[in-house]
Amino acid sequence: MNGTSGGVYDGGYSSGVSSEQIPTTEETTGLRPRRVTYAALLAALEGLALVVGGVWILVLGLTGHPDDRQQAVTGGITLVVLALLPLFAARGLLALRSWSRGPAVITQLMALPVAYNLLQADSMAIPGGIALAAVAVASLVLLVNPETTRALGIRGPGSTGNQEK
């Protein structure tokens, strides 16, 4: 036992565990496939659109003359909070975190009914519905791609990771 550090190993715990965090770089995680990058960019785009829409509704609710000011403020805050899901998912995808695919897929599945409702409108919302549907479908295709699954380290059901093909 080392008298200065209190443990067997210099500068660490007695069990040899270090308190230093290992940085995640491309060298330790491998290269990020383009599909993952594109999925992250689409998720970030959706998140930013939600933030812009939420702030827009919030500002109009506070400065304009809405029918119900409380409803406008609540709607704006809700959109800004909902924007956190795709933004965190995009950040996780860029860092190749396996947990990030779930929130990204959930975001796309929530976007599809919204796109459908926009397409049913008889107004200027139709182009927005088309764009949202295209982004959601493209993101889902990118997220369920086998290359994305491998890059994120996600194993299929029943896989233990010890089996060799």
Side-chain angles (χ1 to χ4, degrees):
M1 197 159 200
N2 186 344
T4 59
S5 66
V8 176
Y9 303 99
D10 291 334
Y13 296 105
S14 60
S15 64
V17 177
S18 173
S19 61
E20 292 184 31
Q21 292 185 356
I22 299 171
T24 304
T25 62
E26 283 189 24
E27 290 140 7
T28 59
T29 59
L31 293 175
R32 182 177 50 244
R34 280 192 225 164
R35 287 180 174 96
V36 177
T37 304
Y38 295 154
L41 291 175
L42 290 174
L45 178 68
E46 287 174 326
L48 291 175
L50 283 169
V51 168
V52 168
V55 169
W56 179 266
I57 290 173
L58 192 58
V59 167
L60 288 179
L62 293 173
T63 62
H65 301 287
D67 294 335
D68 186 0
R69 185 176 308 269
Q70 183 178 1
Q71 185 177 10
V73 170
T74 302
I77 291 171
T78 301
L79 283 179
V80 171
V81 170
L82 281 175
L84 295 176
L85 184 65
L87 291 174
F88 283 139
R91 184 170 184 244
L93 287 169
L94 287 174
L96 293 176
R97 303 287 188 236
S98 61
W99 60 262
S100 62
R101 190 173 81 159
V105 168
I106 289 170
T107 299
Q108 306 320 315
L109 293 176
M110 290 185 339
L112 289 173
V114 174
Y116 178 77
N117 283 333
L118 291 173
L119 290 170
Q120 298 302 312
D122 213 13
S123 67
M124 296 292 290
I126 292 174
I130 293 169
L132 182 58
V135 167
V137 169
S139 293
L140 283 171
V141 168
L142 292 169
L143 289 166
V144 299
N145 186 285
E147 185 179 339
T148 301
T149 303
R150 277 191 302 277
L152 294 175
I154 299 172
R155 294 187 309 256
S159 297
T160 59
N162 298 343
Q163 300 170 352
E164 300 225 1
K165 291 185 180 180

